[in-house]
Amino acid sequence: MNKKLLLRLGALFVFVLLISAAVIYFTFDIRTLDYLTMFEPKCIFLALGCLAVGLLFDGLRLITLANITEEKLTLRQIVNVVLSNYFLALVTPGASGGAIAQVMFMRKAGVPVAKSTVVILVRTIMSIIFLILLVPVVLHCDQDIVEWMPASVLTFVSVAFVSLPVIAIYLMRTRYPEKIIFYCTRKLSYTTRRNCYIWYQQFKKAAIVMGKNPWMVLRAFVESGISLLFIYATVPAYMTGLNIEFDLLQVMGRMVLINLVLYFSPTPGGSGIAEAGFVMLFANILPGGLEGILAVLWRFTAEYLPFMLGAVVTIRAFGSDVINVASVKSKSKVVEPKNNV
């Protein structure tokens, strides 16, 4: 196997192992053993079932978005695209490789780069918008999080989050975004400035595609939400197996907050930040010592298991030199956005 890939995988394995061990060690409590003795193995199947449904709707969303661009993907191609995202997202800084992997597989399936880029960008935007729209609901329903926040501030934050997608769509109808990009990147290198403009044009093109097919986009948005919620439901599934009393809406709300932050995490797949955020948010609603165990169970089920499956399909498709292939593809994307969608 390629030495560079082996080093990446080895470093990732050690990093994940250290993070998981540290989380369990620093949160461990003597009461943890009592709960672990009550653990019901059948909840593992419940958690895996939630993950499977989440991945299924992720694939359905991809099919819907591909149909919007008048492209067809087979079941095998859909599985490859969905799982490859998990693999390269964890072995590249800032999870940047996830999008590249999806474009690579869609291009392999015969979808033009311009169309596949738009589909993957819309897919990501939908997930972020769905979580953003849920933030006001979470803030209003979870009193433990907002007990220190005045009602006026809570209202302002809620209105701001709901307004973000609307404001973004309005601004794209003007020249202000280009002016803002020019002002913010004027002291950066030519390549960086050019990439910023290209990224914005791709974002704008994705918005245009969504605007032309509102009902299909709504369907994809619903599929996106169902996918995310079922993947997050792996946590309450494990909590059920540990015989913990919990408020389902509260647990799911906090999972929404964690995963929204992870979209902007600089670490591969959010490793480290995800576990720390989970412990911080769940420490006051879980029995002592269980937040670390649940954080590791959640990450293994919702992230590392799909990662291993993604590694198999990606390496089989592109070989052990997949990291270098992805690097070349990411550079070539800069010169190919002129194709029509």
Side-chain angles (χ1 to χ4, degrees):
M1 186 177 285
N2 183 274
K3 184 177 180 180
K4 184 176 181 180
L5 179 60
L6 278 176
L7 289 174
R8 288 279 185 96
L9 292 177
L12 176 64
F13 176 77
V14 172
F15 180 65
V16 169
L17 189 64
L18 290 176
I19 289 292
S20 301
V23 168
I24 294 176
Y25 176 79
F26 287 108
T27 60
F28 189 82
D29 189 281
I30 191 63
R31 291 172 294 175
T32 306
L33 295 176
D34 295 330
Y35 281 97
L36 290 178
T37 57
M38 296 186 294
F39 184 75
E40 299 179 10
K42 63 182 181 182
C43 75
I44 297 176
F45 296 102
L46 178 59
L48 293 176
C50 291
L51 175 65
V53 174
L55 294 177
L56 171 64
F57 274 92
D58 195 358
L60 291 175
R61 171 181 58 174
L62 185 58
I63 292 174
T64 303
L65 292 175
N67 288 339
I68 290 175
T69 59
E70 300 179 346
E71 295 291 340
K72 302 293 182 182
L73 297 173
T74 66
L75 176 60
R76 182 175 181 177
Q77 290 165 346
I78 291 293
V79 171
N80 289 342
V81 172
V82 171
L83 293 179
S84 65
N85 174 45
Y86 285 89
F87 173 58
L88 277 187
L90 269 175
V91 295
T92 52
S96 58
I100 297 170
Q102 295 174 77
V103 171
M104 286 166 57
F105 268 107
M106 291 187 73
R107 186 174 184 180
K108 187 179 180 68
V111 180
V113 172
K115 285 187 176 182
S116 59
T117 301
V118 168
V119 168
I120 300 309
L121 187 57
V122 170
R123 186 170 175 264
T124 304
I125 292 171
M126 280 185 170
S127 296
I128 295 175
I129 290 177
F130 179 79
L131 296 180
I132 286 176
L133 293 178
L134 283 183
V135 168
V137 179
V138 174
L139 293 180
H140 279 280
C141 294
D142 197 330
Q143 295 301 318
D144 291 340
I145 291 181
V146 299
E147 60 182 4
W148 51 271
M149 187 181 297
S152 57
V153 175
L154 178 59
T155 302
F156 174 79
V157 171
S158 299
V159 172
F161 270 96
V162 173
S163 301
L164 281 175
V166 178
I167 294 172
I169 293 173
Y170 172 77
L171 286 176
M172 282 188 290
R173 299 167 64 95
T174 70
R175 300 289 297 178
Y176 288 114
E178 285 91 343
K179 293 179 180 179
I180 293 172
I181 293 173
F182 174 78
Y183 179 79
C184 294
T185 63
R186 65 189 189 283
K187 294 183 179 180
L188 302 179
S189 66
Y190 170 76
T191 302
T192 302
R193 292 171 61 193
R194 186 165 180 263
N195 287 340
C196 287
Y197 275 104
I198 290 174
W199 184 91
Y200 170 70
Q201 291 301 324
Q202 292 173 342
F203 182 87
K204 188 174 181 178
K205 187 181 294 183
I208 293 173
V209 170
M210 289 191 289
K212 290 181 178 179
N213 302 273
W215 292 113
M216 292 288 283
V217 168
L218 177 61
R219 173 181 169 179
F221 184 76
V222 172
E223 291 168 344
S224 178
I226 294 174
S227 171
L228 293 175
L229 292 178
F230 266 97
I231 292 174
Y232 302 163
T234 53
V235 172
Y238 282 123
M239 293 172 72
T240 301
L242 289 167
N243 295 304
I244 302 172
E245 294 185 3
F246 61 93
D247 183 336
L248 180 60
L249 292 179
Q250 185 182 48
V251 171
M252 293 298 288
R254 298 195 180 193
M255 291 302 297
V256 166
L257 296 179
I258 293 173
N259 283 277
L260 179 58
V261 172
L262 293 184
Y263 273 98
F264 308 97
S265 168
T267 61
S271 298
I273 294 176
E275 289 83 356
F278 187 96
V279 170
M280 182 179 68
L281 284 177
F282 282 86
N284 68 330
I285 63 174
L286 289 174
L290 282 181
E291 61 269 26
I293 297 291
L294 279 171
V296 173
L297 285 174
W298 160 53
R299 290 292 286 171
F300 178 82
T301 305
E303 197 72 38
Y304 304 136
L305 182 56
F307 162 80
M308 289 185 283
L309 296 175
V312 173
V313 301
T314 306
I315 293 175
R316 285 184 62 183
F318 296 100
S320 59
D321 198 34
V322 64
I323 300 296
N324 292 330
V325 173
S327 177
V328 172
K329 297 291 184 183
S330 66
K331 293 176 181 178
S332 67
K333 281 173 63 180
V334 174
V335 297
E336 293 191 37
K338 293 182 182 180
N339 297 335
N340 294 325
V341 175

